[in-house]
Amino acid sequence: MSAAPAHARRLPLVLRNPSFGRVWAGQLLTQAANRMFQVGAVWWLVGFAGGEHRGLDSGLFLMVSTVPAVALAPVVARIVARHAHRTVLASAAAVAGTVAVAAAALARAEALPLAAAYVVGLALAGCQAVFDPCLTTSVPELVEDADIESATGFELSTQSVAGLCGGLLGPLVVDAGALAGVTAVCGAAYLLAAVLIGTTRFPHLGVGDGPAPERRTLRRVLAGLPFIRLVLICFAAANVFTTAVYVVMPLYTQEVLHATGSTVASLETALGAGTLLGSFTGGRLPGRPVTVGSMCLGVMAAALALPGLFAGHAAALASMAVAGWCVGVIGVRFVALFQRLVPADDKPAFFAVMQAVLGATFPVSSLVFGALGDHLAAGTLCLAQGAGLVPVALGLYWLGSRADAAGPPGRPDAPTPVPEGSVS
């Protein structure tokens, strides 16, 4: 092997594969914009526009923002399976950018009513519901087979970076420019992403840049993956309590810490930084995915309950950082496992249904915890989150034990091989 290829191999994936690098930049922009709008809008409802039902209002907004990923799963699967992935990704980003820019113009002219914020959130969430599973499905078209593990780790760590950036900027931009400011920034990010992805070549597509053949239905795909189906159900149950942080933390900031948007931003930053660290380190933890996942859920239960036991900024920051780390570890271990186990032709349907199953409980979580936030103290909600995760962690551990007893180790619950430098 020559020195030049060896040197190129040591470069980060986004540098030695320009196509993946451009799509990665588009991913960062769209997911950061989506997160910025969600966090910013929730803080705007809690800190500025909300009345005596701030908890319910913010919970309803988050519920609306998660409905498309669930309701549109069959439609998304068909779109991703039948159309060129580059076209789908660029179009989703362009539509989201157009909606956000129009909303910014109306908000600046004070012609955007409160209810319209929910409509904008629904539209942006719909575009993201198409973008995310299509992006995951597109990974093998952008990188060589040997780089799939690395690209998966990079994709998941980018979600963490995007969440960190969006969570940090959202409340700060709202404090500075209200809803008009945050929608304008989001619109610019979406449109730039559309340009980047739309001008990128997918080098491993196969024959041309045309539509993919017809795949199996969602029901048939899941029927052939019984172990993975049970794992997804466990994580959907966990999401009832983990995703409630997006309602609970703004309420905690307002009621317990009596702070401003900068504090919400710091908590979102801690959550994002922890998730990023988990994405980098998750592949290096010993043990099989289900074992590691159940342990991480147990640690997360203690972390989410911490602010309810010890009120204060430091406890809340530590809680978010540790919880984020657990989320990052679980994500990189299980998505990499799914990339290996799910047949290539089934991936469009599988990743669409994965997003739907994991997101199905988010609307319920947002609405329930938002409504409870108008009647219970924010510290009590933290304790409820932690307590709810304990049986889920035990259930996932039991599932792994049953898989061990049912067959030889190394199939669904085998360690996921993550090459050194998996996110490089």
Side-chain angles (χ1 to χ4, degrees):
M1 181 181 292
S2 64
H7 172 71
R9 193 68 185 170
R10 290 194 296 269
L11 291 174
L13 183 60
V14 293
L15 296 180
R16 56 185 164 87
N17 186 329
S19 295
F20 182 79
R22 291 171 71 88
V23 174
W24 166 79
Q27 176 196 4
L28 179 63
L29 288 167
T30 58
Q31 292 178 342
N34 184 61
R35 189 81 191 104
M36 183 189 304
F37 181 77
Q38 286 187 355
V39 176
V42 168
W43 177 242
W44 178 68
L45 289 168
V46 171
F48 296 91
E52 59 181 14
H53 300 296
R54 294 190 303 267
L56 181 60
D57 290 342
S58 58
L60 280 172
F61 174 81
L62 287 175
M63 183 191 75
V64 167
S65 298
T66 53
V67 164
V70 180
L72 298 179
V75 177
V76 171
R78 288 195 293 270
I79 291 173
V80 175
R82 295 176 180 176
H83 299 280
H85 295 156
R86 178 178 64 181
T87 302
V88 174
L89 292 170
S91 299
V95 171
T98 302
V99 170
V101 168
L106 292 174
R108 192 167 297 278
E110 298 184 354
L112 187 72
L114 177 62
Y118 292 82
V119 176
V120 174
L122 182 67
L124 297 186
C127 294
Q128 205 69 38
V130 175
F131 187 96
D132 288 340
C134 185
L135 176 71
T136 306
T137 307
S138 301
V139 167
E141 299 174 5
L142 292 163
V143 303
E144 298 176 356
D145 183 73
D147 287 328
I148 285 180
E149 198 80 36
S150 177
T152 299
F154 217 112
E155 179 196 349
L156 293 176
S157 66
T158 302
Q159 293 178 14
S160 307
V161 173
L164 189 155
C165 295
L168 172 64
L169 293 176
L172 298 179
V173 174
V174 167
D175 280 350
L179 195 62
V182 77
T183 49
V185 174
C186 291
Y190 277 122
L191 293 177
L192 178 56
V195 172
L196 284 172
I197 296 173
T199 55
T200 297
R201 185 178 70 89
F202 284 35
H204 301 284
L205 180 61
V207 182
D209 192 18
E214 188 72 31
R215 268 82 168 188
R216 295 193 297 166
T217 63
L218 299 179
R219 180 176 297 179
R220 291 181 62 192
V221 169
L222 284 184
L225 301 168
F227 180 84
I228 292 178
R229 185 173 68 244
L230 293 175
V231 170
L232 290 179
I233 291 173
C234 283
F235 286 130
N239 276 2
V240 172
F241 303 98
T242 58
T243 56
V245 297
Y246 301 124
V247 175
V248 174
M249 281 299 106
L251 292 173
Y252 191 88
T253 300
Q254 182 82 3
E255 297 175 8
V256 178
L257 303 181
H258 306 292
T260 63
S262 61
T263 298
V264 179
S266 69
L267 296 179
E268 287 284 344
T269 301
L271 181 65
T275 307
L276 179 61
L277 181 61
S279 297
F280 274 91
T281 61
R284 294 173 172 79
L285 292 180
R288 295 164 300 185
V290 171
T291 305
V292 172
S294 60
M295 293 179 61
C296 284
L297 286 178
V299 173
M300 200 186 312
L304 292 178
L306 183 65
L309 298 173
F310 305 98
H313 197 174
L317 284 174
S319 169
M320 293 297 96
V322 174
W325 180 82
C326 294
V327 168
V329 170
I330 291 172
V332 76
R333 293 301 293 268
F334 280 91
V335 173
L337 182 67
F338 297 159
Q339 285 280 19
R340 295 294 185 189
L341 295 183
V342 177
D345 285 348
D346 290 338
K347 284 182 179 178
F350 174 77
F351 285 116
V353 80
M354 182 185 78
Q355 179 171 318
V357 170
L358 296 181
T361 51
F362 197 1
V364 178
S365 172
S366 302
L367 184 61
V368 170
F369 276 86
L372 290 175
D374 290 333
H375 303 283
L376 300 177
T380 303
L381 297 181
C382 295
L383 294 175
Q385 285 182 270
L389 275 182
V390 173
V392 181
L394 294 175
L396 186 62
Y397 183 81
W398 172 82
L399 179 61
S401 301
R402 195 179 72 165
D404 285 343
R411 179 55 182 160
D413 200 25
T416 305
V418 180
E420 188 167 353
S422 63
V423 292
S424 63

Coordinates of all heavy atoms in Angstrom, one line a residue, residues 135-224:
L135 N -31.8 10.0 5.7 CA -30.4 10.2 5.9 C -29.7 8.9 6.4 O -28.7 8.5 5.9 CB -30.2 11.3 7.0 CG -28.7 11.5 7.4 CD1 -28.0 12.2 6.2 CD2 -28.7 12.4 8.6
T136 N -30.4 8.2 7.4 CA -29.8 6.9 7.9 C -29.8 5.9 6.8 O -28.8 5.2 6.6 CB -30.6 6.4 9.1 OG1 -30.7 7.5 10.1 CG2 -30.0 5.2 9.7
T137 N -30.8 5.8 6.0 CA -30.9 4.9 4.9 C -29.8 5.2 3.8 O -29.3 4.3 3.1 CB -32.2 4.9 4.2 OG1 -33.2 4.7 5.2 CG2 -32.4 3.8 3.2
S138 N -29.4 6.4 3.7 CA -28.5 6.8 2.6 C -27.0 6.5 2.9 O -26.2 6.7 2.0 CB -28.6 8.4 2.4 OG -29.9 8.7 2.0
V139 N -26.7 6.2 4.2 CA -25.3 6.0 4.6 C -24.6 5.0 3.6 O -23.5 5.4 3.2 CB -25.2 5.6 6.0 CG1 -23.8 5.1 6.4 CG2 -25.6 6.7 7.0
P140 N -25.1 3.8 3.3 CA -24.4 2.9 2.4 C -24.2 3.5 1.0 O -23.3 3.0 0.3 CB -25.2 1.7 2.4 CG -26.1 1.7 3.6 CD -26.3 3.2 3.8
E141 N -24.9 4.5 0.6 CA -24.8 5.1 -0.7 C -23.7 6.2 -0.7 O -23.2 6.6 -1.8 CB -26.1 5.8 -1.2 CG -27.2 4.8 -1.3 CD -28.5 5.5 -1.6 OE1 -28.5 6.7 -1.8 OE2 -29.6 4.8 -1.6
L142 N -23.2 6.6 0.4 CA -22.2 7.6 0.6 C -20.8 7.1 0.9 O -19.8 7.8 0.6 CB -22.7 8.7 1.6 CG -23.9 9.5 1.3 CD1 -24.5 10.2 2.5 CD2 -23.5 10.6 0.2
V143 N -20.8 6.0 1.6 CA -19.5 5.5 2.1 C -19.3 4.0 1.6 O -20.2 3.3 1.3 CB -19.4 5.6 3.6 CG1 -19.6 7.0 4.1 CG2 -20.4 4.6 4.3
E144 N -18.1 3.5 1.7 CA -17.8 2.2 1.4 C -18.2 1.3 2.6 O -18.4 1.8 3.7 CB -16.2 2.0 1.2 CG -15.7 2.7 0.0 CD -14.2 2.6 -0.1 OE1 -13.6 2.0 0.8 OE2 -13.6 3.1 -1.1
D145 N -18.4 0.0 2.3 CA -18.9 -0.9 3.4 C -18.0 -0.9 4.6 O -18.5 -0.9 5.7 CB -19.0 -2.3 2.8 CG -19.6 -3.3 3.9 OD1 -20.8 -3.2 4.1 OD2 -18.8 -4.1 4.4
A146 N -16.7 -0.7 4.4 CA -15.8 -0.7 5.6 C -16.0 0.5 6.5 O -15.6 0.5 7.6 CB -14.3 -0.8 5.1
D147 N -16.6 1.5 5.9 CA -16.8 2.8 6.7 C -18.2 2.9 7.2 O -18.5 4.0 7.8 CB -16.5 4.0 5.7 CG -15.0 4.2 5.5 OD1 -14.2 3.8 6.3 OD2 -14.7 4.6 4.4
I148 N -19.0 1.9 7.1 CA -20.4 2.1 7.6 C -20.5 2.3 9.1 O -21.2 3.1 9.6 CB -21.3 0.8 7.2 CG1 -21.6 0.9 5.7 CG2 -22.6 0.8 8.0 CD1 -22.4 -0.3 5.2
E149 N -19.6 1.5 9.8 CA -19.6 1.7 11.3 C -19.2 3.1 11.7 O -19.7 3.7 12.5 CB -18.7 0.6 11.9 CG -18.9 0.4 13.3 CD -20.1 -0.6 13.6 OE1 -20.3 -1.5 12.8 OE2 -20.8 -0.3 14.6
S150 N -18.1 3.5 11.0 CA -17.6 4.9 11.2 C -18.6 5.9 10.9 O -18.8 6.9 11.6 CB -16.3 5.1 10.4 OG -15.8 6.4 10.6
A151 N -19.3 5.8 9.7 CA -20.3 6.8 9.3 C -21.5 6.8 10.3 O -22.0 7.8 10.6 CB -20.8 6.5 7.9
T152 N -21.9 5.6 10.8 CA -23.0 5.5 11.8 C -22.6 6.3 13.0 O -23.4 7.1 13.6 CB -23.3 4.1 12.1 OG1 -23.7 3.4 10.9 CG2 -24.4 4.0 13.1
G153 N -21.4 6.0 13.5 CA -21.0 6.8 14.7 C -20.9 8.3 14.5 O -21.3 9.1 15.3
F154 N -20.5 8.6 13.3 CA -20.4 10.1 12.9 C -21.8 10.7 12.9 O -22.0 11.8 13.3 CB -19.7 10.2 11.6 CG -18.8 11.4 11.6 CD1 -17.4 11.3 11.5 CD2 -19.3 12.7 11.6 CE1 -16.6 12.4 11.5 CE2 -18.5 13.8 11.6 CZ -17.1 13.7 11.5
E155 N -22.7 9.9 12.2 CA -24.1 10.4 12.1 C -24.7 10.7 13.5 O -25.4 11.7 13.7 CB -24.9 9.4 11.3 CG -26.4 9.8 11.1 CD -27.2 8.7 10.7 OE1 -26.7 7.6 10.3 OE2 -28.5 8.8 10.7
L156 N -24.5 9.7 14.4 CA -25.1 9.8 15.7 C -24.5 10.9 16.5 O -25.1 11.7 17.3 CB -25.0 8.5 16.5 CG -25.9 7.4 15.9 CD1 -25.7 6.1 16.6 CD2 -27.4 7.7 15.9
S157 N -23.1 11.0 16.4 CA -22.5 12.1 17.2 C -22.9 13.5 16.6 O -23.0 14.5 17.4 CB -20.9 11.9 17.1 OG -20.5 12.1 15.8
T158 N -23.2 13.5 15.3 CA -23.6 14.8 14.7 C -25.0 15.2 15.3 O -25.3 16.4 15.5 CB -23.7 14.7 13.2 OG1 -22.4 14.3 12.7 CG2 -24.1 16.0 12.5
Q159 N -25.9 14.2 15.5 CA -27.1 14.5 16.1 C -26.9 15.2 17.5 O -27.6 16.1 17.9 CB -28.0 13.2 16.3 CG -28.4 12.7 14.9 CD -29.2 11.4 15.1 OE1 -29.6 11.0 16.2 NE2 -29.4 10.6 14.1
S160 N -25.9 14.7 18.2 CA -25.6 15.2 19.5 C -25.1 16.7 19.4 O -25.4 17.6 20.1 CB -24.5 14.4 20.2 OG -24.9 13.0 20.2
V161 N -24.1 16.9 18.4 CA -23.6 18.2 18.2 C -24.7 19.2 17.8 O -24.8 20.3 18.2 CB -22.5 18.2 17.1 CG1 -22.1 19.6 16.8 CG2 -21.3 17.4 17.6
A162 N -25.6 18.7 16.9 CA -26.7 19.5 16.4 C -27.7 19.9 17.6 O -28.1 21.0 17.7 CB -27.5 18.8 15.3
G163 N -27.9 18.8 18.4 CA -28.8 19.1 19.5 C -28.2 20.1 20.5 O -28.8 20.9 21.1
L164 N -26.8 19.9 20.7 CA -26.1 20.9 21.6 C -26.2 22.3 21.0 O -26.5 23.2 21.8 CB -24.7 20.4 21.7 CG -23.8 21.1 22.8 CD1 -22.6 20.1 23.1 CD2 -23.2 22.4 22.2
C165 N -25.9 22.5 19.8 CA -25.9 23.8 19.2 C -27.3 24.4 19.2 O -27.5 25.6 19.6 CB -25.3 23.8 17.7 SG -23.6 23.3 17.6
G166 N -28.3 23.6 18.8 CA -29.6 24.1 18.7 C -30.2 24.4 20.1 O -30.9 25.4 20.3
G167 N -29.9 23.5 21.0 CA -30.4 23.7 22.4 C -29.8 24.9 23.1 O -30.4 25.6 23.9
L168 N -28.5 25.2 22.7 CA -27.8 26.4 23.3 C -28.3 27.7 22.7 O -28.6 28.6 23.4 CB -26.3 26.2 23.0 CG -25.4 27.5 23.4 CD1 -25.5 27.8 24.9 CD2 -24.0 27.3 22.9
L169 N -28.5 27.7 21.4 CA -28.8 28.9 20.7 C -30.3 29.3 20.8 O -30.7 30.4 20.8 CB -28.4 28.8 19.2 CG -26.9 28.8 18.9 CD1 -26.7 28.6 17.4 CD2 -26.3 30.1 19.4
G170 N -31.2 28.2 20.8 CA -32.6 28.5 20.8 C -33.1 29.5 21.8 O -33.7 30.5 21.5
P171 N -32.9 29.2 23.2 CA -33.4 30.2 24.2 C -32.7 31.5 24.1 O -33.3 32.6 24.3 CB -33.0 29.5 25.5 CG -32.9 28.0 25.1 CD -32.3 28.0 23.8
L172 N -31.4 31.5 23.7 CA -30.6 32.8 23.6 C -31.2 33.7 22.5 O -31.3 34.9 22.6 CB -29.1 32.5 23.4 CG -28.4 31.8 24.5 CD1 -27.0 31.5 24.2 CD2 -28.6 32.5 25.9
V173 N -31.5 33.0 21.3 CA -32.0 33.8 20.2 C -33.4 34.3 20.5 O -33.8 35.4 20.2 CB -32.0 32.9 18.9 CG1 -32.7 33.6 17.8 CG2 -30.6 32.6 18.5
V174 N -34.2 33.5 21.3 CA -35.5 34.0 21.7 C -35.4 35.2 22.6 O -36.2 36.1 22.5 CB -36.3 32.8 22.3 CG1 -37.6 33.3 23.0 CG2 -36.7 31.8 21.2
D175 N -34.5 35.1 23.6 CA -34.3 36.2 24.5 C -33.9 37.5 23.7 O -34.3 38.6 24.1 CB -33.2 35.9 25.5 CG -33.7 35.1 26.6 OD1 -35.0 34.9 26.7 OD2 -32.9 34.6 27.4
A176 N -33.2 37.3 22.6 CA -32.7 38.5 21.8 C -33.7 39.0 20.8 O -33.8 40.2 20.5 CB -31.3 38.2 21.2
G177 N -34.3 38.0 20.1 CA -35.2 38.4 19.0 C -36.5 37.8 18.9 O -37.2 37.8 17.8
A178 N -37.0 37.2 20.0 CA -38.3 36.6 20.1 C -38.5 35.5 19.1 O -37.5 34.9 18.6 CB -39.4 37.6 20.0
L179 N -39.7 35.1 18.7 CA -40.0 34.0 17.8 C -39.5 34.3 16.4 O -39.1 33.4 15.7 CB -41.5 33.7 17.8 CG -41.8 32.3 17.2 CD1 -41.2 31.2 18.0 CD2 -43.4 32.2 17.2
A180 N -39.6 35.6 16.0 CA -39.1 36.0 14.7 C -37.7 35.7 14.5 O -37.2 35.2 13.4 CB -39.4 37.5 14.4
G181 N -36.8 36.0 15.5 CA -35.4 35.7 15.4 C -35.1 34.3 15.2 O -34.3 33.9 14.3
V182 N -35.7 33.4 16.0 CA -35.3 32.0 15.9 C -35.8 31.4 14.6 O -35.1 30.5 14.0 CB -35.9 31.3 17.2 CG1 -37.3 31.0 17.1 CG2 -35.1 30.0 17.4
T183 N -37.0 31.8 14.1 CA -37.5 31.2 12.9 C -36.6 31.7 11.7 O -36.4 30.9 10.7 CB -38.9 31.6 12.6 OG1 -39.1 33.0 12.8 CG2 -39.8 30.8 13.5
A184 N -36.1 32.9 11.7 CA -35.3 33.4 10.6 C -33.9 32.6 10.6 O -33.5 32.2 9.5 CB -35.0 34.9 10.8
V185 N -33.3 32.4 11.7 CA -32.1 31.7 11.8 C -32.3 30.2 11.3 O -31.5 29.7 10.5 CB -31.5 31.7 13.2 CG1 -30.2 30.8 13.3 CG2 -31.1 33.1 13.6
C186 N -33.4 29.6 11.7 CA -33.7 28.2 11.3 C -33.9 28.2 9.8 O -33.4 27.2 9.2 CB -34.9 27.7 12.1 SG -34.7 27.4 13.8
G187 N -34.6 29.1 9.3 CA -34.9 29.1 7.8 C -33.6 29.2 7.0 O -33.5 28.5 6.0
A188 N -32.7 30.1 7.4 CA -31.4 30.2 6.7 C -30.6 28.9 6.8 O -30.0 28.4 5.8 CB -30.6 31.3 7.3
A189 N -30.6 28.2 7.9 CA -29.9 26.9 8.1 C -30.5 25.8 7.2 O -29.8 25.1 6.5 CB -29.9 26.5 9.5
Y190 N -31.8 25.7 7.1 CA -32.5 24.8 6.3 C -32.2 25.0 4.8 O -31.9 24.0 4.1 CB -34.0 24.8 6.5 CG -34.5 24.0 7.7 CD1 -35.2 24.7 8.7 CD2 -34.3 22.7 7.8 CE1 -35.7 23.9 9.8 CE2 -34.8 21.9 8.9 CZ -35.5 22.6 9.9 OH -36.0 21.9 10.9
L191 N -32.2 26.2 4.4 CA -32.0 26.5 2.9 C -30.6 26.2 2.5 O -30.3 25.7 1.4 CB -32.4 27.9 2.6 CG -33.9 28.3 2.8 CD1 -34.1 29.7 2.5 CD2 -34.7 27.4 1.8
L192 N -29.6 26.5 3.4 CA -28.2 26.2 3.1 C -28.0 24.7 3.0 O -27.3 24.2 2.2 CB -27.3 26.8 4.2 CG -25.8 26.6 4.1 CD1 -25.3 27.0 2.7 CD2 -25.0 27.2 5.2
A193 N -28.7 24.0 3.9 CA -28.6 22.5 3.9 C -29.1 22.0 2.6 O -28.5 21.0 2.0 CB -29.3 21.9 5.1
A194 N -30.2 22.5 2.1 CA -30.8 22.1 0.8 C -29.8 22.3 -0.3 O -29.7 21.4 -1.2 CB -32.1 22.8 0.6
V195 N -29.1 23.4 -0.3 CA -28.1 23.7 -1.4 C -27.0 22.7 -1.3 O -26.5 22.1 -2.3 CB -27.6 25.1 -1.3 CG1 -26.5 25.3 -2.3 CG2 -28.8 26.1 -1.6
L196 N -26.5 22.4 -0.1 CA -25.3 21.5 0.1 C -25.7 20.1 -0.4 O -24.9 19.5 -1.2 CB -24.9 21.5 1.5 CG -24.1 22.7 2.0 CD1 -23.9 22.6 3.5 CD2 -22.7 22.8 1.4
I197 N -26.8 19.6 0.0 CA -27.2 18.2 -0.3 C -27.6 18.1 -1.8 O -27.2 17.1 -2.4 CB -28.3 17.7 0.6 CG1 -27.8 17.7 2.1 CG2 -28.8 16.4 0.2 CD1 -28.9 17.4 3.1
G198 N -28.3 19.1 -2.3 CA -28.8 19.0 -3.6 C -27.6 19.0 -4.7 O -27.8 18.6 -5.8
T199 N -26.5 19.5 -4.3 CA -25.3 19.6 -5.2 C -24.3 18.5 -4.9 O -23.2 18.6 -5.4 CB -24.7 21.0 -5.1 OG1 -24.3 21.2 -3.8 CG2 -25.6 22.1 -5.6
T200 N -24.7 17.5 -4.2 CA -23.8 16.4 -3.8 C -24.0 15.2 -4.6 O -25.2 14.8 -4.8 CB -23.9 16.1 -2.3 OG1 -23.6 17.2 -1.5 CG2 -23.0 14.9 -1.9
R201 N -23.0 14.5 -5.0 CA -23.1 13.2 -5.7 C -23.0 12.1 -4.7 O -22.2 12.1 -3.8 CB -21.9 13.1 -6.7 CG -22.1 11.8 -7.6 CD -20.9 11.8 -8.6 NE -19.6 11.5 -8.0 CZ -19.1 10.3 -7.7 NH1 -19.8 9.2 -8.1 NH2 -18.0 10.2 -7.2
F202 N -23.9 11.1 -4.8 CA -23.9 9.9 -4.0 C -23.1 8.8 -4.7 O -23.7 8.1 -5.6 CB -25.3 9.5 -3.7 CG -26.1 10.3 -2.7 CD1 -25.8 11.7 -2.6 CD2 -26.9 9.8 -1.8 CE1 -26.5 12.5 -1.6 CE2 -27.6 10.5 -0.8 CZ -27.4 11.9 -0.8
P203 N -21.9 8.6 -4.4 CA -21.0 7.8 -5.2 C -21.3 6.3 -5.2 O -20.9 5.6 -6.1 CB -19.6 8.0 -4.6 CG -19.8 8.5 -3.2 CD -21.1 9.2 -3.2
H204 N -21.9 5.7 -4.2 CA -22.2 4.3 -4.1 C -23.7 4.0 -4.3 O -24.1 2.9 -3.8 CB -21.7 3.8 -2.8 CG -20.2 4.0 -2.5 ND1 -19.2 3.3 -3.1 CD2 -19.6 4.9 -1.8 CE1 -18.1 3.7 -2.7 NE2 -18.3 4.7 -1.9
L205 N -24.3 4.8 -5.1 CA -25.8 4.6 -5.3 C -26.0 3.3 -6.1 O -27.0 2.6 -5.8 CB -26.4 5.8 -6.0 CG -27.9 5.7 -6.3 CD1 -28.6 5.6 -5.0 CD2 -28.3 6.9 -7.1
G206 N -25.2 3.0 -7.0 CA -25.4 1.8 -7.8 C -25.6 2.2 -9.3 O -24.7 2.6 -9.9
V207 N -26.8 2.1 -9.8 CA -27.1 2.5 -11.2 C -27.8 3.8 -11.2 O -28.9 3.9 -10.8 CB -27.9 1.4 -11.9 CG1 -28.2 1.8 -13.3 CG2 -27.3 0.1 -11.8
G208 N -27.0 4.9 -11.5 CA -27.6 6.2 -11.6 C -28.1 6.7 -10.3 O -27.7 6.3 -9.2
D209 N -28.9 7.7 -10.3 CA -29.5 8.4 -9.2 C -31.0 8.2 -9.2 O -31.7 9.1 -8.8 CB -29.1 9.9 -9.2 CG -29.3 10.5 -7.8 OD1 -29.5 9.8 -6.8 OD2 -29.4 11.8 -7.8
G210 N -31.4 7.1 -9.6 CA -32.9 6.9 -9.8 C -33.5 6.3 -8.6 O -32.9 6.0 -7.6
P211 N -34.8 6.0 -8.7 CA -35.6 5.4 -7.6 C -35.2 4.0 -7.3 O -34.8 3.2 -8.1 CB -37.1 5.5 -8.1 CG -36.9 5.5 -9.6 CD -35.7 6.2 -9.9
A212 N -35.4 3.6 -6.0 CA -35.1 2.3 -5.5 C -36.2 1.4 -5.8 O -37.4 1.8 -6.0 CB -34.8 2.3 -4.0
P213 N -36.0 0.0 -5.9 CA -37.1 -0.9 -6.1 C -38.0 -1.0 -4.9 O -37.7 -0.5 -3.8 CB -36.4 -2.2 -6.3 CG -35.1 -2.1 -5.6 CD -34.7 -0.6 -5.8
E214 N -39.2 -1.5 -5.2 CA -40.2 -1.7 -4.1 C -39.7 -2.5 -3.0 O -39.1 -3.6 -3.2 CB -41.5 -2.3 -4.7 CG -42.7 -2.3 -3.8 CD -43.2 -0.9 -3.6 OE1 -43.1 -0.1 -4.6 OE2 -43.7 -0.6 -2.5
R215 N -39.9 -2.1 -1.8 CA -39.5 -2.9 -0.6 C -40.8 -3.5 0.1 O -41.9 -3.3 -0.3 CB -38.8 -2.0 0.4 CG -37.3 -2.0 0.2 CD -36.8 -1.0 -0.8 NE -35.4 -0.8 -0.8 CZ -34.8 0.1 -1.5 NH1 -35.4 0.9 -2.3 NH2 -33.5 0.3 -1.4
R216 N -40.4 -4.3 1.1 CA -41.5 -5.0 1.9 C -42.2 -3.9 2.7 O -41.7 -2.9 3.0 CB -40.9 -6.1 2.7 CG -40.3 -7.2 2.0 CD -40.1 -8.4 2.8 NE -39.1 -8.1 3.9 CZ -38.9 -8.9 4.9 NH1 -39.6 -10.0 5.1 NH2 -38.0 -8.6 5.9
T217 N -43.5 -4.3 3.1 CA -44.2 -3.4 4.0 C -43.7 -3.3 5.4 O -42.9 -4.2 5.8 CB -45.7 -3.9 4.1 OG1 -45.7 -5.2 4.7 CG2 -46.3 -4.0 2.7
L218 N -44.1 -2.3 6.1 CA -43.6 -2.1 7.5 C -43.9 -3.4 8.3 O -43.1 -3.8 9.1 CB -44.2 -0.9 8.1 CG -43.9 0.5 7.4 CD1 -44.6 1.6 8.2 CD2 -42.4 0.7 7.4
R219 N -45.1 -3.9 8.2 CA -45.5 -5.0 9.0 C -44.7 -6.2 8.7 O -44.2 -6.9 9.7 CB -47.0 -5.3 8.7 CG -47.5 -6.5 9.6 CD -49.0 -6.7 9.3 NE -49.8 -5.5 9.8 CZ -51.1 -5.5 9.7 NH1 -51.8 -6.4 9.1 NH2 -51.7 -4.4 10.1
R220 N -44.4 -6.5 7.5 CA -43.6 -7.7 7.1 C -42.1 -7.5 7.6 O -41.5 -8.5 8.0 CB -43.6 -7.9 5.6 CG -45.0 -8.4 5.1 CD -44.9 -8.6 3.6 NE -43.9 -9.7 3.3 CZ -43.5 -9.9 2.0 NH1 -44.0 -9.2 1.0 NH2 -42.6 -10.9 1.8
V221 N -41.6 -6.3 7.5 CA -40.3 -6.0 8.0 C -40.1 -6.3 9.5 O -39.2 -7.0 9.9 CB -39.8 -4.6 7.7 CG1 -38.5 -4.2 8.4 CG2 -39.7 -4.4 6.2
L222 N -41.0 -5.8 10.3 CA -41.0 -6.0 11.7 C -41.3 -7.4 12.1 O -40.7 -8.0 13.1 CB -42.0 -5.1 12.4 CG -41.5 -3.6 12.5 CD1 -42.5 -2.8 13.3 CD2 -40.2 -3.5 13.2
A223 N -42.1 -8.1 11.3 CA -42.5 -9.5 11.6 C -41.2 -10.4 11.5 O -41.1 -11.4 12.2 CB -43.6 -10.0 10.7
G224 N -40.3 -10.0 10.7 CA -39.1 -10.8 10.5 C -38.0 -10.4 11.5 O -36.9 -11.0 11.4

